[in-house]
Amino acid sequence: MTAPEKPSDESDLAVKPRAKSQRPPMYKVLMLNDDFTPMEFVVHVLERLFHMTHAQAIEIMLTVHRKGVAVVGVFSHEVAETKVAQVMELARRQQHPLQCTMEKE
């Protein structure tokens, strides 16, 4: 007596491995210190554009002042680009030399 033939299972089928979806790269928004932009203006920018509390904004502003640079947020490329442009535009309109940039995390 021979064993009945097993029905073909799915392992015989050619299955494409699923590509793992990768998270898009994130970007750090950095604020740079200068000797001319008032500290109050930096706090205002952090509160208005980065939605920080007053205490958080003061802490970041002091980090920028003491260390020369601080990360003010981490965002997708498009959001980081927009934040940098908003900071630069606001500083320009107020005639402050405040600099803001972004780099890949």
Side-chain angles (χ1 to χ4, degrees):
M1 202 187 252
T2 62
E5 244 183 78
K6 287 185 185 176
S8 166
D9 62 25
E10 292 180 25
S11 65
D12 292 342
L13 300 175
V15 178
K16 288 184 183 178
R18 278 194 176 169
K20 289 186 179 180
S21 59
Q22 291 182 322
R23 292 185 63 203
M26 300 299 280
Y27 290 80
K28 298 183 284 190
V29 174
L30 306 165
M31 194 167 283
L32 309 174
N33 188 45
D34 66 71
D35 293 332
F36 305 101
T37 304
M39 292 179 176
E40 297 81 20
F41 179 74
V42 175
V43 170
H44 170 73
V45 167
L46 293 169
E47 290 173 340
R48 180 173 170 198
L49 299 179
F50 295 91
H51 310 290
M52 293 183 183
T53 65
H54 189 68
Q56 289 170 323
I58 288 174
E59 187 177 330
I60 295 291
M61 175 273 297
L62 289 172
T63 300
V64 171
H65 181 68
R66 291 180 184 134
K67 295 188 176 185
V69 64
V71 175
V72 296
V74 179
F75 308 95
S76 67
H77 185 270
E78 293 78 16
V79 172
E81 203 170 47
T82 300
K83 295 283 187 189
V84 168
Q86 289 173 332
V87 169
M88 299 299 287
E89 174 62 21
L90 192 56
R92 186 189 63 76
R93 278 193 278 149
Q94 297 296 318
Q95 298 180 337
H96 296 303
L98 181 64
Q99 293 293 303
C100 189
T101 188
M102 61 188 261
E103 67 181 35
K104 201 170 192 176
E105 189 175 40

